[in-house]
Amino acid sequence: MDSKLSSNHPHGLAFSDALMREVKSRFLQVDHDHNGRERLYFDNAGGSFRLKAAAERFAQIDAIPDNAERIHATAVELQDIQAKGSADLRTILNATGGSVYASLTASGAMFDMVRAVAENVPGTNMVTTVLEHPSAFDAMSLYAERLGRELRVAKSNPATGGIDVDEIVRLVDENTCLLNVIYASNISGAKLDMAEIVRRAREIKPDLYILVDAVQHAPHGLIDLQKTPVDGINLAPYKFFGCRGSGLSWMSERAAVLPHHKLAGKKPGYWDLGSAAPWQFAVLTEIVDYVCWLGGHFVDATDRRALFAAGITHIELHERALLAMLLDGNENATGMRKLEGVNVFLDYQDLSKRDLILGIGFDRIDCTQAVVEYGKRGVTVYERVATSIYSKRMLESFGLAGTVRVSPLHCNSVADVEKFLRITREIAADI
């Protein structure tokens, strides 16, 4: 259902006006900031709008003083919340078994997962890509150097904004101990063909360990570990309509039992250290509840994964419609591709291969000044510049010095994008 539905709408499918109003009503600060000032927040690749229910549930559960590792009624309630949240992470990923690891950040979890594989799986090389977030790339670099392994880095494709499957698998051989790849670029929005990467890499080495950074992609498209069986994958709820201070990861059974930091008395596949924070799991359940609510508008199903899959697919379709409009405009606003003085970077035509991220530049001002100009007009975007540790490696691989990253979310409307395009045209004309 899901892939077929997506392919049937190459330019996306926007929510109805009625559903759009309902969606907006469930999020905090979509149209105004915390001080009540009107604005467009188009930096959701750096954070994301929060669900009202997630923020409320966080406060409610975090206020409970009880320790979950007890036998009284409140402790049992907290244990149930954690169990449901763990099940919901598996719902998001379509995963079975394995271990759920709740950490402070997804970045910290990635370092931990890389360490466990690199220190305990034999091999002479480790493979990653130039587009990785520093938490993955730097972890791979650190342990490759520490353990005397060759680090092989797949190059980007400036035409697609992503990494070609061939470029990755050519680096994999029988001596590769770990392959670590990002699901989608947080600069270009390009999605990697994870199913093909996993299939072809495992043709070369059937027992290859594979880790995936899904922080950027998880809020924007369907993940299915039954089709892409990897050994570790992480996401960050604060970029997925949730709250900061939480990273959630899933590991396969064989990866989870690799030696790692663990209290000696815990089960071999247990990864959490210290007392659990039940709110992390409660917030994840609110996220899945919301996506399932959305999915219920499109499918007649009761199965939680089916509802979630329908919801996230229609999030993807709505966001694709917003991306198409950013690029080509409509009768009310001129799209970026046609705006004089504006350049669209890494502009790959097949929108089904992209998440809702756009990189642009202006002819007469640099990207940092452009972000300032947007700010003056009530718009928040982000400058990706080559002087930043979060951008340098990726930008240089594309031959770019900088870009203005534009990243709305599915709770933004067609009217929001029209407003953004008019402001962009004004900036290009005024400077």
Side-chain angles (χ1 to χ4, degrees), residues 62-121:
D62 197 47
I64 298 172
D66 301 59
N67 188 314
E69 297 184 22
R70 302 291 185 267
I71 62 172
H72 60 273
T74 301
V76 172
E77 180 185 350
L78 295 176
Q79 292 164 22
D80 289 343
I81 288 170
Q82 289 178 221
K84 192 171 191 313
S86 294
D88 279 332
L89 181 63
R90 292 182 173 90
T91 295
I92 291 171
L93 302 172
N94 201 20
T96 57
S99 291
V100 171
Y101 175 28
S103 55
L104 180 64
T105 66
S107 293
M110 180 57 77
F111 268 86
D112 291 341
M113 291 190 293
V114 168
R115 177 181 183 173
V117 177
E119 288 186 339
N120 297 290
V121 176

